[in-house]
Amino acid sequence: SQEVKYHDEL
Amino acid sequence: MNIFRFAGDMTHLISILVLLLKIYATKSCSGISLKTQELYAIVFVARYLDLFTDFISVYNTVMKLVFIGCSLAIVWCMRLHRVVRRTYNKDVDTFRHYFLVLGCFLLALFVHEKFTFQEVLWAFSIYLEAVAILPQLVLLQRSGNVDNLTVQYVFFLGAYRAFYILNWIYRYLTEPHFGRWIASVAGLVQTALYADFFYYYFISWKNNAKLQLPA
């Protein structure tokens, strides 16, 4: 699956 | 969210609160590198551009606002507060940190996850954070004995990134698509930079002596 492109880390 | 990352975020928050406490309580910023604080402000502004575009969680948004707010407040305090600014000794804080900014930006132009404005700035902020502590470590080296709050500030800052490395290992093992190489490699470099400081901190703590950094 297309990896969700967001940075969920601080 | 795993325990390593939460512990990392909390130690990061503690490091910033320790610094704010030191400056506010002693009305002095002696022993603190303004250049490192400026680099951190750049790191947070460059990294949290998605603050208003991508909502991830309340925790994520609140922590981003706190980190940006505190880092800007510290820089403001050290530059403009009428009492604190007089205690800033720019003669010892001489690291040419603009080269760090330029170098990290050039590296981000070549090594990033996607060639978009946000991703290049994100990679830039990751690289810059890895080296942002250098002016502070150089200042500690120069000023020899330093006060405890400054030492604790650097200690918590190092511990935060060490927790993040455990977090990346954990996520790599548990999440199939997790490939955060840029942050992991930069995080390793960052923690390695603290390693010698940690060594001397541990020795001084064991001997219950004040921190003695080799000149």
Side-chain angles (χ1 to χ4, degrees), chain B residues 11 14 47 62 68 76 81 101 106 134 140 143 158 191 193 195 214:
Chain B
T11 35
I14 291 170
R47 186 178 304 174
V62 167
I68 288 179
W76 173 83
H81 188 286
V101 175
L106 290 177
L134 281 172
L140 288 183
S143 47
T191 308
L193 281 178

Side-chain angles (χ1 to χ4, degrees), chain B residues 10-34:
Chain B
M10 288 307 111
T11 35
H12 193 189
L13 184 62
I14 291 170
S15 73
I16 291 175
L17 296 181
V18 159
L19 191 57
L20 272 172
L21 170 81
K22 167 192 164 54
I23 293 175
Y24 183 73
T26 64
K27 286 289 182 286
S28 156
C29 63
S30 65
I32 304 291
S33 161
L34 171 61

Side-chain angles (χ1 to χ4, degrees), chain B residues 126-166:
Chain B
I126 292 287
Y127 302 139
L128 191 59
E129 184 184 7
V131 293
I133 195 63
L134 281 172
Q136 180 66 58
L137 292 182
V138 164
L139 194 149
L140 288 183
Q141 208 98 12
R142 280 227 177 90
S143 47
N145 270 2
V146 290
D147 66 280
N148 271 339
L149 277 174
T150 307
V151 173
Q152 272 137 24
Y153 163 68
V154 178
F155 176 74
F156 281 118
L157 216 46
Y160 131 72
R161 216 58 186 166
F163 275 125
Y164 254 74
I165 289 173
L166 296 178

